[in-house]
Amino acid sequence: GNSVTQMEGPVTLSEEAFLTINCTYTATGYPSLFWYVQYPGEGLQLLLKATKADDKGSNKGFEATYRKETTSFHLEKGSVQVSDSAVYFCALSGGSGSARQLTFGSGTQLTVLP
Amino acid sequence: DAGVTQSPTHLIKTRGQQVTLRCSPKSGHDTVSWYQQALGQGPQFIFQYYEEEERQRGNFPDRFSGHQFPNYSSELNVNALLLGDSALYLCASSLASAGTSYNSPLHFGNGTRLTVT
């Protein structure tokens, strides 16, 4: 079945530092890939998505590229802000599972210090 | 435009009791999914409701059941609560006609924090 593996956290960075959160997946076929963000006390919000190989999803300065050859979807941001502090989840749908449900990684806690 | 709303926000129950959680989907959405998020973990899919029927189910026991009403709102019921049921329960809505999670990404509520003692 489908599975998602994220780099373990927590990750602590200084403001304006470069961010990378690694995500790899296991799935047959061509799953769709997502990054969701969860701010303290809130539900998950979609950050970005990609549906086929070499697609790049981007939003709010964050980017991730769907790499079929390495089964990866790493999240990057060139200059993080304190307001980016949150938990980030990599997820997929489709592949060997349903296209209507999400399989999530375990999340990566990001703390950005001023 | 109201997003996904869940009630209650917090709940404390005793082992063996039963609990009902409620969800109203985002305006215009007709499909409701429920996820369980244990502390420090990613959400796990419980089930999905569309047209008042359970359309898909994850790897959860029959103690977990649900219902969807004609106005698309939904309930999650858990019977015979165990300590391990303590978690954040998330409701997410989407639009069935869009097909996949890519075309109609899930919109999540803020969740109900269930504590079983």
Side-chain angles (χ1 to χ4, degrees):
Chain A
N2 294 340
S3 68
V4 176
T5 302
Q6 284 183 239
M7 67 182 286
E8 295 194 5
V11 174
T12 302
L13 296 173
S14 297
E15 204 164 25
E16 299 184 4
F18 184 85
L19 169 70
T20 300
I21 300 178
N22 290 338
C23 170
T24 58
Y25 67 89
T26 300
T28 58
Y30 297 89
S32 294
L33 302 174
F34 306 82
W35 277 99
Y36 277 81
V37 58
Q38 188 174 35
Y39 298 101
E42 298 184 13
L44 280 74
Q45 301 174 25
L46 178 65
L47 182 59
L48 52 83
K49 62 182 181 178
T51 193
K52 61 183 186 295
D54 301 324
D55 261 4
K56 177 184 284 188
S58 61
N59 186 25
K60 300 180 181 178
F62 291 89
E63 294 182 340
T65 300
Y66 190 142
R67 299 291 187 199
K68 182 73 174 170
E69 65 276 12
T70 54
T71 62
S72 65
F73 194 54
H74 304 321
L75 182 67
E76 297 182 336
K77 187 175 185 183
S79 177
V80 293
Q81 306 300 311
V82 172
S83 58
D84 293 327
S85 298
V87 182
Y88 292 81
F89 292 93
C90 185
L92 68 79
S93 68
S96 44
S98 166
R100 297 192 191 92
Q101 72 181 65
L102 293 173
T103 299
F104 286 89
S106 58
T108 301
Q109 170 80 56
L110 171 66
T111 301
V112 180
L113 302 176
Chain B
D1 180 19
V4 178
T5 58
Q6 293 186 242
S7 63
T9 55
H10 294 83
L11 204 49
I12 300 175
K13 290 288 188 177
T14 302
R15 192 171 43 186
Q17 287 187 317
Q18 178 265 342
V19 67
T20 297
L21 311 181
R22 295 177 176 82
C23 171
S24 292
K26 176 181 167 64
S27 177
H29 284 180
D30 55 10
T31 301
V32 173
S33 302
W34 287 92
Y35 287 79
Q36 180 195 65
Q37 185 180 11
L39 197 62
Q41 299 297 314
Q44 301 244 323
F45 176 74
I46 303 175
F47 42 53
Q48 183 181 82
Y49 276 83
Y50 171 65
E51 292 189 330
E52 303 179 49
E53 291 190 355
E54 184 183 291
R55 185 159 69 169
Q56 290 178 352
R57 188 178 184 91
N59 189 25
F60 279 80
D62 292 345
R63 297 187 298 108
F64 289 77
S65 63
H67 189 78
Q68 186 179 35
F69 299 93
N71 66 353
Y72 308 120
S73 66
S74 177
E75 290 182 348
L76 165 65
N77 301 292
V78 187
N79 294 322
L81 285 167
L82 304 174
L83 296 180
D85 296 331
S86 295
L88 180 68
Y89 288 85
L90 295 167
C91 172
S93 71
S94 56
L95 184 61
S97 62
T100 68
S101 297
Y102 183 84
N103 293 328
S104 179
L106 299 184
H107 287 250
F108 284 84
N110 288 349
T112 295
R113 173 72 62 189
L114 172 65
T115 303
V116 182
T117 63

